[in-house]
Amino acid sequence: MELQEAKKNIKERGFLDISVGDEIDYAEEIKRLKKEKNAVILAHYYQEPAIQDIADFVGDSLQLSYKAAEADADLIVFAGVHFMAETAKILNPDKKVVLPDLNAGCSLSEACEAEDLAAFKKKHPDHLVVTYVNTSAAVKAISDICCTSSNAKKIIDSIPEDQPIIFAPDKNLGAYINKVTGRNMLLWEGACIVHEAFSIDKLLSTHQEHPKAKIIAHPESEEHILKTAAYIGSTSGLINFAKTDPSQEFIVATEAGILHEMQKEVPNKKLYPAPAVEDNTCACSECPYMKMNNMKKLYLCMEYELPEIHVPEEIQKKALIPIQRMLDISSR
Ligand code: 13P
Ligand code: SF4
């Protein structure tokens, strides 16, 4: 009965809200389900450590898209946010894709509705539309090409210089790409709440406390944060820099979940999360959407294969085009 009720309420709640016994070992159950269902768990670096540790693959948005594209599992379990699971579904329309909590959204995706982008496109009919993958399937369906933070420069460089471009929805990533490519793209007014939460004053104080540390930042951060950075890159770019750069200390300006994998890669180096304006539990910046997923919800979504991601066929077909263009250019 509880299960029937929970299934009925799934749209409203966003996840299967059912009780499980206290004695359950989520890690063991998830491992069992992976085998039984031939499932693959793809997780983003911003997921909680226990989820990253049980995942088959942990990566940045671009790596996760490639992994989704080549997945031969029967069940794709996406431990990330909605737009990521939707991208996996667009790439695998015949496979079942589940997300532990449908409410795991993204402030960037929410800042750009398809109708608004369509109206903006109409005002600028000569512009090509490049959208960050942090958008809904409906927005991708009216985009010319997608990008992630790790391939944005490459994607923009692949477009003829005299071609005007609309870049949506991240104004910070867009401004950074304008700067490094010398373009003058029209920028949508969206931002990531996590990367806009960093405090420049607190960041500079942290740097004074650890003067040998290099500041490294994600390009979703604001310009005044990026100006202080010795390196700017996607989540995988940041991990790679911490690994290959000879420095022994880093102040990391991105979502704090990345520190789990980064510390594993550089066990002897010191990592400090960039501080957020508001003091919160970790004095860092955490994505409330990414953190909606937990081991219980992950287990339940694998056990009952719910909540499932659905994309209407017409949107799926149109959205696949800009994603595929991105993957093709990116792998050149
Ligand atoms: P990347 O993992 O592509 O760097 O993106 C960061 C992000 O904010 C994902 O939501
Ligand atoms: Fe969206 Fe920012 Fe959260 Fe990434 S970290 S999912 S960009 S809100």
Side-chain angles (χ1 to χ4, degrees), residues 44 46 61 80-84 104-110 132 134 170 191-196 218 220 254-255 285-291:
H44 189 266
Y46 297 165
S61 315
V81 291
H82 194 274
F83 75 81
M84 295 178 173
C106 169
S107 66
L108 280 167
S109 180
E110 284 162 17
Y132 197 26
N134 301 38
D170 189 355
C192 162
I193 48 167
V194 177
H195 291 87
E196 285 220 320
H218 194 280
E220 287 173 15
T254 193
E255 211 269 0
S285 195
E286 287 195 312
C287 176
Y289 304 104
M290 287 278 182
K291 269 32 183 199

Coordinates of all heavy atoms in Angstrom, one line a residue, residues 44 46 61 80-84 104-110 132 134 170 191-196 218 220 254-255 285-291, ligand 2:
H44 N 28.1 12.7 -10.9 CA 28.9 14.0 -11.1 C 29.7 14.2 -9.9 O 29.4 13.7 -8.8 CB 27.9 15.2 -11.3 CG 28.6 16.4 -11.7 ND1 29.0 17.4 -10.8 CD2 29.1 16.8 -12.9 CE1 29.7 18.3 -11.5 NE2 29.7 18.0 -12.7
Y46 N 29.9 16.6 -8.0 CA 29.3 17.3 -6.9 C 28.4 16.4 -6.0 O 27.7 16.9 -5.1 CB 28.4 18.5 -7.5 CG 29.2 19.5 -8.2 CD1 28.5 20.4 -9.0 CD2 30.6 19.7 -8.1 CE1 29.2 21.4 -9.7 CE2 31.2 20.7 -8.8 CZ 30.5 21.5 -9.6 OH 31.2 22.5 -10.3
S61 N 30.5 17.2 -16.7 CA 29.3 17.1 -17.6 C 29.6 16.5 -18.9 O 28.8 15.7 -19.5 CB 28.7 18.5 -17.8 OG 28.6 19.2 -16.7
G80 N 23.0 12.8 -10.5 CA 23.4 14.2 -10.8 C 22.1 15.0 -10.8 O 21.2 14.7 -10.0
V81 N 22.0 16.0 -11.7 CA 20.8 16.8 -11.7 C 20.0 16.5 -13.0 O 20.4 15.8 -13.9 CB 21.1 18.3 -11.6 CG1 21.6 18.6 -10.2 CG2 22.1 18.8 -12.6
H82 N 18.8 17.1 -13.1 CA 17.8 16.7 -14.1 C 18.3 16.8 -15.5 O 18.2 15.9 -16.3 CB 16.5 17.5 -13.9 CG 15.4 17.0 -14.6 ND1 15.1 17.3 -15.9 CD2 14.4 16.1 -14.3 CE1 14.0 16.7 -16.3 NE2 13.6 16.0 -15.4
F83 N 19.0 18.0 -15.8 CA 19.4 18.2 -17.2 C 20.4 17.1 -17.6 O 20.5 16.8 -18.8 CB 20.0 19.6 -17.4 CG 21.4 19.9 -16.9 CD1 22.5 19.5 -17.6 CD2 21.5 20.5 -15.7 CE1 23.8 19.7 -17.1 CE2 22.8 20.8 -15.2 CZ 23.9 20.4 -15.9
M84 N 21.2 16.6 -16.7 CA 22.2 15.6 -17.0 C 21.5 14.3 -17.4 O 21.9 13.6 -18.3 CB 23.1 15.4 -15.9 CG 24.0 16.6 -15.5 SD 25.0 16.3 -14.1 CE 26.0 17.8 -14.1
A104 N 15.9 17.6 -8.4 CA 17.3 18.0 -8.5 C 17.5 18.8 -9.8 O 17.8 18.3 -10.9 CB 18.2 16.8 -8.5
G105 N 17.2 20.1 -9.8 CA 17.2 21.0 -10.9 C 18.6 21.7 -11.1 O 19.6 21.1 -10.7
C106 N 18.5 22.9 -11.5 CA 19.7 23.7 -11.7 C 19.3 25.1 -11.9 O 18.4 25.4 -12.7 CB 20.5 23.2 -12.9 SG 21.8 24.2 -13.5
S107 N 19.9 26.1 -11.2 CA 19.5 27.5 -11.3 C 19.7 28.0 -12.8 O 19.0 28.9 -13.2 CB 20.3 28.4 -10.3 OG 21.6 28.4 -10.6
L108 N 20.7 27.5 -13.4 CA 21.0 27.9 -14.8 C 19.9 27.5 -15.7 O 19.3 28.2 -16.5 CB 22.3 27.3 -15.3 CG 23.5 28.1 -14.9 CD1 24.8 27.3 -15.1 CD2 23.6 29.4 -15.5
S109 N 19.5 26.2 -15.6 CA 18.4 25.6 -16.4 C 17.1 26.4 -16.2 O 16.4 26.7 -17.1 CB 18.3 24.2 -16.1 OG 17.3 23.6 -16.9
E110 N 16.9 26.7 -14.9 CA 15.6 27.4 -14.5 C 15.6 28.8 -15.1 O 14.5 29.4 -15.3 CB 15.5 27.4 -13.0 CG 15.0 26.1 -12.5 CD 15.2 25.9 -11.0 OE1 15.4 26.9 -10.3 OE2 15.2 24.7 -10.6
Y132 N 24.7 26.1 -23.1 CA 25.4 25.3 -22.1 C 24.5 24.1 -21.9 O 23.3 24.2 -22.0 CB 25.5 26.2 -20.9 CG 26.5 25.7 -19.8 CD1 27.6 25.0 -20.1 CD2 26.3 26.1 -18.5 CE1 28.5 24.7 -19.1 CE2 27.2 25.8 -17.5 CZ 28.3 25.1 -17.8 OH 29.2 24.8 -16.8
N134 N 23.6 22.8 -19.3 CA 22.8 23.1 -18.2 C 21.5 23.7 -18.6 O 21.1 24.8 -18.2 CB 23.5 24.0 -17.2 CG 24.8 23.4 -16.7 OD1 25.5 22.8 -17.4 ND2 25.1 23.6 -15.4
D170 N 24.5 30.8 -19.1 CA 25.4 31.3 -18.1 C 26.2 32.5 -18.5 O 27.1 32.4 -19.3 CB 26.3 30.1 -17.7 CG 27.1 30.5 -16.5 OD1 27.0 31.6 -16.0 OD2 27.9 29.6 -16.0
A191 N 22.7 32.5 -14.1 CA 23.9 32.3 -13.3 C 23.7 31.0 -12.4 O 22.6 30.6 -12.1 CB 24.2 33.5 -12.4
C192 N 24.9 30.5 -12.0 CA 24.8 29.3 -11.1 C 24.9 29.9 -9.7 O 25.8 30.6 -9.3 CB 26.0 28.4 -11.4 SG 26.3 27.3 -10.0
I193 N 23.9 29.5 -8.9 CA 23.8 30.0 -7.5 C 25.0 29.6 -6.6 O 25.3 30.3 -5.7 CB 22.5 29.6 -6.8 CG1 22.2 28.1 -7.0 CG2 21.3 30.4 -7.3 CD1 21.1 27.5 -6.0
V194 N 25.6 28.5 -7.0 CA 26.7 28.0 -6.2 C 27.9 28.8 -6.5 O 28.7 29.2 -5.5 CB 26.9 26.5 -6.6 CG1 28.1 25.9 -5.8 CG2 25.7 25.7 -6.3
H195 N 28.2 29.1 -7.7 CA 29.4 29.8 -8.1 C 29.3 31.3 -7.9 O 30.3 32.0 -7.8 CB 29.8 29.5 -9.5 CG 30.3 28.0 -9.7 ND1 29.4 27.0 -9.9 CD2 31.5 27.5 -9.5 CE1 30.1 25.9 -9.9 NE2 31.4 26.1 -9.7
E196 N 28.1 31.8 -7.8 CA 27.9 33.2 -7.5 C 27.9 33.5 -6.0 O 27.9 34.6 -5.5 CB 26.6 33.7 -8.1 CG 26.7 33.9 -9.6 CD 26.0 35.1 -10.1 OE1 24.9 35.5 -9.6 OE2 26.5 35.8 -11.0
H218 N 36.2 27.5 -11.2 CA 35.3 27.0 -12.3 C 34.8 28.3 -13.0 O 34.5 29.3 -12.4 CB 34.1 26.2 -11.7 CG 33.4 25.5 -12.7 ND1 32.4 26.1 -13.6 CD2 33.4 24.2 -13.1 CE1 31.9 25.1 -14.4 NE2 32.5 24.0 -14.1
E220 N 32.1 29.1 -14.1 CA 30.7 29.6 -13.8 C 30.9 30.7 -12.7 O 29.9 31.4 -12.3 CB 29.9 28.5 -13.3 CG 29.4 27.6 -14.3 CD 28.7 26.3 -13.8 OE1 28.3 26.4 -12.6 OE2 28.5 25.4 -14.6
T254 N 34.9 26.0 -6.5 CA 33.7 25.3 -7.2 C 32.9 24.6 -6.1 O 33.3 24.7 -4.9 CB 34.2 24.4 -8.3 OG1 33.0 24.0 -9.1 CG2 34.8 23.1 -7.9
E255 N 31.9 23.8 -6.5 CA 31.1 23.2 -5.5 C 32.0 22.2 -4.7 O 32.9 21.5 -5.2 CB 30.0 22.4 -6.2 CG 28.7 22.2 -5.5 CD 28.6 21.0 -4.6 OE1 29.6 20.2 -4.6 OE2 27.6 20.8 -3.9
S285 N 30.7 26.3 -0.6 CA 29.5 26.5 -1.4 C 29.0 25.1 -1.9 O 29.7 24.4 -2.6 CB 29.7 27.4 -2.6 OG 28.5 27.8 -3.2
E286 N 27.8 24.8 -1.6 CA 27.2 23.4 -2.0 C 26.0 23.6 -2.8 O 25.2 24.6 -2.6 CB 26.8 22.6 -0.7 CG 28.0 22.1 0.0 CD 27.6 21.0 1.0 OE1 26.7 21.3 1.8 OE2 28.3 20.0 1.1
C287 N 25.8 22.7 -3.8 CA 24.7 22.8 -4.7 C 23.5 22.1 -4.0 O 23.5 20.9 -3.9 CB 25.0 22.2 -6.0 SG 23.6 22.2 -7.1
P288 N 22.4 22.9 -3.7 CA 21.3 22.3 -3.0 C 20.6 21.3 -3.9 O 19.9 20.3 -3.4 CB 20.4 23.5 -2.7 CG 20.8 24.6 -3.7 CD 22.2 24.3 -4.0
Y289 N 20.7 21.4 -5.2 CA 20.1 20.5 -6.2 C 20.9 19.2 -6.2 O 20.3 18.1 -6.1 CB 20.0 21.0 -7.6 CG 19.3 22.4 -7.7 CD1 20.1 23.6 -7.9 CD2 17.9 22.5 -7.6 CE1 19.4 24.8 -8.0 CE2 17.3 23.7 -7.8 CZ 18.0 24.8 -7.9 OH 17.4 26.0 -8.0
M290 N 22.2 19.3 -6.4 CA 23.0 18.1 -6.4 C 22.8 17.3 -5.1 O 22.9 16.0 -5.1 CB 24.5 18.4 -6.6 CG 24.8 18.9 -7.9 SD 25.1 17.5 -9.0 CE 25.5 18.3 -10.6
K291 N 22.7 18.0 -4.0 CA 22.7 17.4 -2.7 C 21.3 16.8 -2.3 O 21.1 16.3 -1.3 CB 23.1 18.3 -1.6 CG 24.6 18.4 -1.3 CD 25.6 18.0 -2.3 CE 27.0 18.0 -1.8 NZ 28.0 18.1 -2.9
Ligands
SF4_2 FE1 23.3 24.1 -11.6 FE2 25.2 25.3 -10.3 FE3 24.1 23.2 -9.2 FE4 25.7 22.9 -11.3 S1 26.3 23.6 -9.3 S2 23.7 22.0 -11.0 S3 25.3 24.8 -12.5 S4 23.1 25.1 -9.7

